[in-house]
Amino acid sequence: MHNKELLKGAKSVLSTNNVGGLIIPAQGLYPHTVLWDSCFIAVGLSHYDLKLAQAQVEHFFSAQWQDGMVPNIIFNKLFRYFWDRWIWRSWISVNSQPGIPTSGITQPPMLAEAVVRIGKQLTPAERMLWYRRVIEHLVDYHSWLYEYRDLNHNGLITLIHPWETGLDNTPPWLASLRHQHNPFLLNLIGWLKIDKVADHLRIDAHYVDPKQRSTTLEALRLYDALRLIRRKRYDNAKILIHPTFAIEDIAYNSIFIRANTLLCEIADDIDYQLPQNLLSNMHLTRQNLNQLWDDERKSFFSRSHKTKNLLKEDSIASLLPLYSGAISKAQADLIVKAMQDKTLYQTKFPLPSVPINSSWFKPMRYWQGPTWININWLLIDGLERYGYKQLASELSEQTINLVKNSGFNEYFNPIDGSAAGVHDFSWTAALTIDLLLNKTDQKK
Ligand code: GLC
């Protein structure tokens, strides 16, 4: 297949998933718009349909809560999705936008990146208008994270649910889940081993082999954690008195640091004065990322807010500081070394979401091993900015070939390249477009 055909195929995935001007992650399993998905989608769209790209980003700003939080899901209002929005009932929060049903938690802050990628494709005059239109939303969102989630006043953001990481069942969070005290009903299901029966009731199992998803017990526990958050009406102060989860997530904070840098660039471009306390907080985050560095293991990890211990289960999240731009060259070298290590991340179809020597590694199970295109994209960007141009273009080439040979799937087996998860997944298509077109640009 030629790259031209691949590009055409990618655009057609995005148009198939376009529901009245909003692009959903995939038909069937994901009928609602999802925050970081929409940002990645906007990056791809920025190359050929700027208005549509802007609409994906602004859709989330229109649903931004009054305190500044940007929710990770905006629900489709069709009657048949009533149950999905009822699970969250965002209207019980005083902060949610009236008439816009959403979730009550957030997701990795990719908005600033999407805004800038769109900006790059606009004329200077249009860019100014675009940046002016969105800057307050970004400022409010970043300020919300500091106000409500910087629990240790060290600039590092704490997440309260695995869904906020975007890497739902990644080992550090799974380990933390396993340490939780289980509700009686879930224990009962476990003892009686009726989770296998429950497998058949799962909606995702209609679309994807359950072996490629979180286990039923894990999924039930995540819903239970959501129930507890909802019971507190999404009031962060109340949730955080006895949180089920409270983790300073390394992936999230790495992405946040990059988002802060981009927000400063946006503000600079339009001579907008960012609030002084926001600037000092940004500085703190950058400086304190090193609190998540383990000198013994020579790696970054997430940290439990409760125990203050690093969660030393290996996962691709530990490589994401490369995207932050805030780490030293020596730390970047160590990350790159891990990426190239055949016993860790260097598989035939890189990069596995968990290193292959880990006892958690499962090549087809969601965030427990498969290769994901958005993570490759983030790391390609990090490699480039740290000057590993050759490696960046190799990983880009491998990523494009993987999609070319296996399809626009949600994720892929890192050992044999086989497709997993849902078909025609939007961010896979959108980021393939971006990789393909950046490659052409570099040749010019
Ligand atoms: C899965 C992924 C999450 C993504 C969502 C929609 O839950 O783990 O990162 O945003 O699907 O595609």
Side-chain angles (χ1 to χ4, degrees), residues 25-26 30 32 34-37 72 107-108 163 165-169 213 366-367 372 374 410 425 427:
Y30 303 117
H32 314 290
V34 183
L35 177 57
W36 76 331
D37 296 64
N72 76 331
Q107 231 188 1
W163 291 332
T165 68
L167 321 177
D168 309 21
N169 66 328
R213 310 288 296 178
Y366 221 27
W367 292 97
W372 288 75
N374 65 331
E410 191 178 4
F425 189 63
W427 84 39

Side-chain angles (χ1 to χ4, degrees), residues 155-174:
L156 298 176
I157 302 306
T158 295
L159 303 185
I160 57 171
H161 196 289
W163 291 332
E164 290 197 312
T165 68
L167 321 177
D168 309 21
N169 66 328
T170 188
W173 284 82
L174 271 187

Side-chain angles (χ1 to χ4, degrees), residues 230-249:
R230 188 186 62 215
R231 241 182 22 200
K232 303 281 164 25
R233 296 178 179 258
Y234 306 112
D235 179 331
N236 279 274
K238 288 190 183 145
I239 294 165
L240 285 160
I241 297 173
H242 292 297
T244 315
F245 295 99
I247 291 177
E248 289 170 319
D249 186 71

Side-chain angles (χ1 to χ4, degrees), residues 322 336 339 379-388 391-392 395:
L322 192 65
V336 169
M339 282 166 88
L379 288 169
I380 291 166
D381 192 65
L383 284 170
E384 264 165 16
R385 278 184 286 109
Y386 271 95
Y388 305 95
L391 287 179
L395 183 57

Side-chain angles (χ1 to χ4, degrees), residues 107-387:
Q107 231 188 1
M110 289 301 305
L111 283 161
E113 178 81 84
V115 164
V116 168
R117 297 283 171 153
I118 292 171
K120 280 197 176 138
Q121 307 289 340
L122 294 165
T123 64
E126 289 167 339
R127 183 162 56 243
M128 298 292 128
L129 288 176
W130 168 237
Y131 284 177
R132 288 207 181 99
R133 214 155 87 201
V134 296
I135 192 151
E136 303 266 332
H137 289 287
L138 289 174
V139 169
D140 289 351
Y141 180 41
H142 289 218
S143 305
W144 176 82
L145 285 166
Y146 285 119
E147 189 169 346
Y148 294 95
R149 297 297 188 79
D150 178 7
L151 308 187
N152 298 317
H153 306 291
N154 58 1
L156 298 176
I157 302 306
T158 295
L159 303 185
I160 57 171
H161 196 289
W163 291 332
E164 290 197 312
T165 68
L167 321 177
D168 309 21
N169 66 328
T170 188
W173 284 82
L174 271 187
S176 156
L177 184 77
R178 292 193 183 166
H179 291 134
Q180 308 282 341
H181 177 71
N182 251 346
F184 174 70
L185 196 63
L186 290 190
N187 277 334
L188 196 67
I189 293 175
W191 291 328
L192 298 176
K193 298 204 185 316
I194 49 175
D195 49 320
K196 294 281 163 291
V197 180
D199 270 358
H200 297 286
L201 302 173
R202 290 174 57 170
I203 298 175
D204 57 352
H206 294 205
Y207 303 98
V208 180
D209 179 349
K211 289 197 194 70
Q212 297 178 12
R213 310 288 296 178
S214 299
T215 67
T216 295
L217 271 181
E218 282 157 15
L220 286 173
R221 285 172 171 193
L222 297 195
Y223 275 100
D224 190 58
L226 150 64
R227 186 180 59 81
L228 297 173
I229 294 173
R230 188 186 62 215
R231 241 182 22 200
K232 303 281 164 25
R233 296 178 179 258
Y234 306 112
D235 179 331
N236 279 274
K238 288 190 183 145
I239 294 165
L240 285 160
I241 297 173
H242 292 297
T244 315
F245 295 99
I247 291 177
E248 289 170 319
D249 186 71
I250 185 64
Y252 196 97
N253 280 289
S254 300
I255 293 174
F256 190 40
I257 290 175
R258 178 72 186 140
N260 280 335
T261 307
L262 293 169
L263 177 51
C264 291
E265 286 177 22
I266 295 170
D268 244 22
D269 266 10
I270 55 172
D271 280 332
Y272 179 98
Q273 185 55 52
L274 291 171
Q276 199 46 54
N277 63 336
L278 179 59
L279 287 170
S280 353
N281 278 329
M282 286 178 172
H283 180 71
L284 267 185
T285 315
R286 221 185 149 81
Q287 207 178 26
N288 288 336
L289 192 71
N290 266 326
Q291 291 186 9
L292 305 182
W293 171 257
D294 183 47
D295 213 27
E296 216 176 290
R297 296 275 306 275
K298 301 272 175 248
S299 175
F300 286 96
F301 293 105
S302 297
R303 180 166 65 181
S304 158
H305 169 67
K306 282 190 224 167
T307 65
K308 306 282 179 261
N309 291 332
L310 292 176
L311 304 169
K312 296 192 191 170
E313 282 78 19
D314 288 313
S315 80
I316 196 88
S318 292
L319 309 191
L320 282 174
L322 192 65
Y323 174 76
S324 75
I327 59 174
S328 68
K329 184 73 171 66
Q331 288 169 322
D333 280 344
L334 286 167
I335 289 180
V336 169
K337 212 168 136 209
M339 282 166 88
Q340 292 180 305
D341 187 331
K342 289 207 161 95
T343 65
L344 300 172
Y345 293 96
Q346 190 53 258
T347 56
K348 196 156 174 221
F349 301 92
L351 290 158
S353 39
V354 170
I356 55 170
N357 71 348
S358 158
S359 58
W360 294 90
F361 176 73
K362 298 222 160 44
M364 295 293 263
R365 204 186 267 284
Y366 221 27
W367 292 97
Q368 242 181 286
T371 295
W372 288 75
I373 303 307
N374 65 331
I375 299 295
N376 281 11
W377 186 87
L378 291 168
L379 288 169
I380 291 166
D381 192 65
L383 284 170
E384 264 165 16
R385 278 184 286 109
Y386 271 95

